Amino acid sequence: MFLFRRGANRVTVNEAHRRTQGANAPAVLLDVREQTEWNVGHAPGAIHAPLSRLAAGAALPSVAQARPLVVICRSGRRSQQAAELLAQRGSDTVDVKGGMQAWAAAGHAVIDRHGNDGSIA
């Protein structure tokens, strides 16, 4: 049984945070932005897998395989595409409405590649 329904279902940033943060989180937050975007700011604990690589056929990082996925990008457009692509591959996915812009606006933590306060460009 899937934790989420298959397909491009969407969740709020607060629901994404609830599902993906903490030691016993039921899902993985998968950030599909490009490396430069990730370096400047991402959610703590997120796993990075750029949509460009996934679309080219790359596998998910091992820590994200066989886990429910909450997919996020900058604004929500790429995450929808990635969620659909990954659902077609059999992953249990949802995407985050408003992306990292909404995540940061909601007051959720954003860190840079060094673990310092980050930003969303």
Side-chain angles (χ1 to χ4, degrees):
M1 184 169 132
F2 285 101
L3 178 64
F4 311 125
R5 285 183 275 160
R6 286 184 178 218
N9 296 303
R10 306 197 88 190
V11 296
T12 65
V13 292
N14 290 330
E15 180 63 16
H17 187 270
R18 186 188 69 73
R19 292 183 186 192
T20 62
Q21 300 301 297
N24 296 318
V28 170
L29 185 62
L30 187 72
D31 191 321
V32 297
R33 295 174 301 142
E34 295 303 316
Q35 189 69 50
T36 55
E37 296 170 287
W38 168 267
N39 290 345
V40 173
H42 57 273
I47 303 301
H48 188 223
L51 176 58
S52 59
R53 290 187 190 155
L54 293 172
L60 286 168
S62 60
V63 295
Q65 293 178 5
R67 299 268 322 270
L69 304 172
V70 176
V71 185
I72 197 164
C73 66
R74 182 175 183 265
S75 65
R77 186 173 145 228
R78 285 176 285 177
S79 61
Q80 272 189 300
Q81 294 170 352
E84 290 173 7
L85 172 73
L86 294 167
Q88 290 170 2
R89 293 183 187 175
S91 292
D92 186 4
T93 65
V94 295
D95 84 285
V96 181
K97 290 187 274 189
M100 286 300 298
Q101 290 175 323
W103 180 277
H108 299 302
V110 176
I111 59 173
D112 68 13
R113 66 182 173 163
H114 301 292
N116 300 316
D117 286 342
S119 63
I120 306 306

